[in-house]
């Protein structure tokens, strides 16, 4: 599975580069030859360009109804036990799994808030799920009010696929018992290049 993901990642990165080139070429033609009545469409180019600008990152979001094994799938793709999973609505916040920054040597969690509060970096020792449970899951009830102020969680860790630019996004899921989960999930879909739908065999 790892080799297939690696090959697919390289192809997707090339497709993103190609799309950025075609978008730029189209915008240049539009500016040069486009009719004045269509000037308002030019704003579309900017939004598409932002979606494609990813610094060689390929964002893969895992979606589906709640409690369908999305976190388990992310763990399986990386072949490590990284995210918490359970037979209930577990993931509360969009969780981006990314490569370690060059100036870091140990994995950590970054909390990104909805307002202008500066991001908060938290140490994340091996075999310690308490930090992730507190900020990213519904399993910790004591932090529920604070989680409502969080836009997303970013997990930084070392892994060959992540190091090459893959970003995995775990989501709360659709049709959840928690009302705001669907809006959170749809936001992650808008930010991604690829989506994997997880379906129950039942």
């Amino acid at each position: 599975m790892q080799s297939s993901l690696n090959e697919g990642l390289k192809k997707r990165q090339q497709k993103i580069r190609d799309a950025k080139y075609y978008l730029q070429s189209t915008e240049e033609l539009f500016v040069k030859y486009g009719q004045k009545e269509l000037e308002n469409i030019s704003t579309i180019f900017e939004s598409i360009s932002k979606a494609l600008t990813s610094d060689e990152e390929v964002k893969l979001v895992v979606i589906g109804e709640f409690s369908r094994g999305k976190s388990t799938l992310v763990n399986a793709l990386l072949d490590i036990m990284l995210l918490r999973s359970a037979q209930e609505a577990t993931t509360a916040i969009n969780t981006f799994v990314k490569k370690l920054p060059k100036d870091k040597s140990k994995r950590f969690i970054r909390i990104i808030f909805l307002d202008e509060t500066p991001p908060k970096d938290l140490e994340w020792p091996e075999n310690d799920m308490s930090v992730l449970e507190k900020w990213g899951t519904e399993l910790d009830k004591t932090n529920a009010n604070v989680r409502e102020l969080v836009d997303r969680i970013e997990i930084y860790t070392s892994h060959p696929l992540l190091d090459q630019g893959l970003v995995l996004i775990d989501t709360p899921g659709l049709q959840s018992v928690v009302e705001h989960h669907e809006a959170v999930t749809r936001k992650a879909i808008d930010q991604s290049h690829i989506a994997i739908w997880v379906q129950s065999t039942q």
Side-chain angles (χ1 to χ4, degrees):
M1 182 187 291
Q2 297 285 321
S3 59
S4 298
L5 280 172
N6 186 38
E7 188 62 32
L9 177 60
K10 291 178 181 177
K11 290 180 180 178
R12 182 61 59 167
Q13 287 170 327
Q14 184 58 53
K15 286 184 178 181
I16 293 172
R17 286 192 290 269
D18 291 343
K20 289 170 71 174
Y21 168 76
Y22 291 130
L23 179 68
Q24 182 180 355
S25 300
T26 303
E27 184 174 13
E28 289 172 358
L29 289 170
F30 187 90
V31 170
K32 192 171 183 179
Y33 301 109
Q35 296 180 7
K36 193 171 184 178
E37 292 82 358
L38 301 176
E39 284 182 353
N40 61 326
I41 298 178
S42 62
T43 57
I44 297 174
F45 290 111
E46 183 179 355
S47 61
I48 297 175
S49 179
K50 285 181 179 179
L52 291 171
T53 301
S54 57
D55 298 323
E56 294 298 306
E57 288 182 343
V58 175
K59 296 176 183 174
L60 188 157
V61 62
V62 181
I63 57 175
E65 295 179 2
F66 71 97
S67 294
R68 290 297 185 265
K70 296 182 296 298
S71 301
T72 301
L73 177 59
V74 171
N75 289 338
L77 290 173
L78 296 175
D79 198 25
I80 54 177
M81 183 60 186
L82 188 69
L83 303 179
R84 187 75 165 82
S85 58
Q87 294 299 314
E88 57 183 294
T90 305
T91 305
I93 302 292
N94 289 331
T95 304
F96 289 61
V97 184
K98 311 176 77 170
K99 67 179 179 181
L100 273 175
K102 292 181 179 179
D103 61 338
K104 301 284 186 179
S105 59
K106 294 182 179 180
R107 72 178 194 169
F108 67 97
I109 293 174
R110 177 169 291 162
I111 312 299
I112 310 293
F113 295 92
L114 287 166
D115 58 18
E116 296 183 3
T117 301
K120 182 176 184 177
D121 287 355
L122 304 170
E123 293 184 5
W124 192 25
E126 296 288 338
N127 302 317
D128 180 4
M129 284 292 186
S130 62
V131 178
L132 185 58
E133 283 188 7
K134 179 178 180 179
W135 286 96
T137 78
E138 298 290 358
L139 300 175
D140 187 312
K141 306 301 182 185
T142 62
N143 208 40
N145 291 338
V146 182
R147 280 197 300 269
E148 292 181 2
L149 307 176
V150 175
D151 177 66
R152 67 185 183 277
I153 293 174
E154 296 178 347
I155 291 176
Y156 291 89
T157 189
S158 180
H159 188 280
L161 289 173
L162 303 178
D163 293 343
Q164 293 183 59
L166 180 64
V167 176
L168 293 172
I169 307 174
D170 189 24
T171 62
L174 304 172
Q175 298 182 354
S176 172
V177 293
V178 182
E179 187 175 345
H180 71 276
H181 280 183
E182 180 145 350
V184 169
T185 298
R186 293 193 181 281
K187 185 174 182 180
I189 295 171
D190 291 341
Q191 297 173 328
S192 303
H193 302 111
I194 311 168
I196 293 180
W197 176 267
V198 180
Q199 179 69 44
S200 169
T201 55
Q202 298 176 351

